Amino acid sequence: MFSKSKLNQPGGDAEKPKQPGTPAGSQPSQPPSKPAGMEMGSGMSAPKPKVAASTLSNDLTIKGDITTTGDIQVEGNIEGNIHAHLLTVGEGAIVRGEVVADDIVVNGRVVGRVRGLKVRLTSTARVEGDIIHKTIAIESGAHFEGAVQRQEDPLGGKSGGHAGGSSAAPKAEAPKG
């Protein structure tokens, strides 16, 4: 009925929420569904649920940089750099700036540098700029003007200048005085 390990835990049953219809001091008929130490807040992180991609519709124009740790689907016009986990540039979309992501799928137009672990240019893609990648796929019919460079870590930023003239990290200034 009672297990010794549960009685010796700090706080005992006082920390467990009471189930409706269960008299005080009695145990529920089913064992706990999670092993001890796996409850939320016990130091172990629960897996994050998959979040839907953010979609920038075709009637949207953004001037400025976009940064996300999630996925983004661009259907409109972007004038600025994009940093994301997964970036999909739609067929009618135009991006003017550097795009950096783990996975990049270009169906539309990108004017600027493309840096990604996996880069895919579909048959409707039009890229004007250099591509720095770990793996690349270019479908028949894609239009590409620029240089292609394979790097083991294309997201590390160990390559030349930046598109748009801005860098991701602020420059350190020498102390005055």
Side-chain angles (χ1 to χ4, degrees), residues 25-47:
S26 68
Q27 291 287 325
S29 61
Q30 295 180 345
S33 59
K34 295 181 183 176
M38 294 297 288
E39 292 85 14
M40 292 294 290
S42 66
M44 300 187 117
S45 61

Side-chain angles (χ1 to χ4, degrees), residues 55-106:
T55 303
L56 305 177
S57 67
N58 61 356
D59 63 341
L60 189 63
T61 298
I62 295 179
K63 293 183 181 183
D65 296 346
I66 299 172
T67 303
T68 180
T69 56
D71 303 347
I72 192 165
Q73 168 89 29
V74 176
E75 297 295 337
N77 297 323
I78 309 295
E79 291 184 30
N81 302 327
I82 302 175
H83 291 251
H85 168 64
L86 169 76
L87 171 66
T88 305
V89 179
E91 264 189 65
I94 300 173
V95 177
R96 296 180 190 278
E98 181 179 47
V99 294
V100 180
D102 293 337
D103 292 329
I104 301 171
V105 178
V106 181

Side-chain angles (χ1 to χ4, degrees), residues 13-175:
D13 291 336
E15 292 179 358
K16 294 181 183 173
K18 302 273 188 261
Q19 290 188 354
T22 304
S26 68
Q27 291 287 325
S29 61
Q30 295 180 345
S33 59
K34 295 181 183 176
M38 294 297 288
E39 292 85 14
M40 292 294 290
S42 66
M44 300 187 117
S45 61
K48 291 182 182 178
K50 181 72 174 158
V51 178
S54 299
T55 303
L56 305 177
S57 67
N58 61 356
D59 63 341
L60 189 63
T61 298
I62 295 179
K63 293 183 181 183
D65 296 346
I66 299 172
T67 303
T68 180
T69 56
D71 303 347
I72 192 165
Q73 168 89 29
V74 176
E75 297 295 337
N77 297 323
I78 309 295
E79 291 184 30
N81 302 327
I82 302 175
H83 291 251
H85 168 64
L86 169 76
L87 171 66
T88 305
V89 179
E91 264 189 65
I94 300 173
V95 177
R96 296 180 190 278
E98 181 179 47
V99 294
V100 180
D102 293 337
D103 292 329
I104 301 171
V105 178
V106 181
N107 299 304
R109 185 172 180 196
V110 176
V111 180
R113 183 181 330 177
V114 176
R115 286 195 298 138
L117 295 174
K118 288 172 38 180
V119 177
R120 182 172 149 220
L121 307 184
T122 65
S123 61
T124 58
R126 181 175 177 89
V127 176
E128 299 169 32
D130 297 345
I131 298 176
I132 302 167
H133 64 89
K134 186 171 182 182
T135 61
I136 190 168
I138 302 176
E139 292 181 4
S140 178
H143 178 85
F144 168 62
E145 292 180 32
V148 178
Q149 181 181 3
R150 186 193 181 284
Q151 288 185 359
E152 200 59 34
D153 182 20
L155 305 180
K158 302 264 188 220
S159 58
H162 293 273
S166 65
S167 63
K171 293 184 168 99
E173 293 183 26

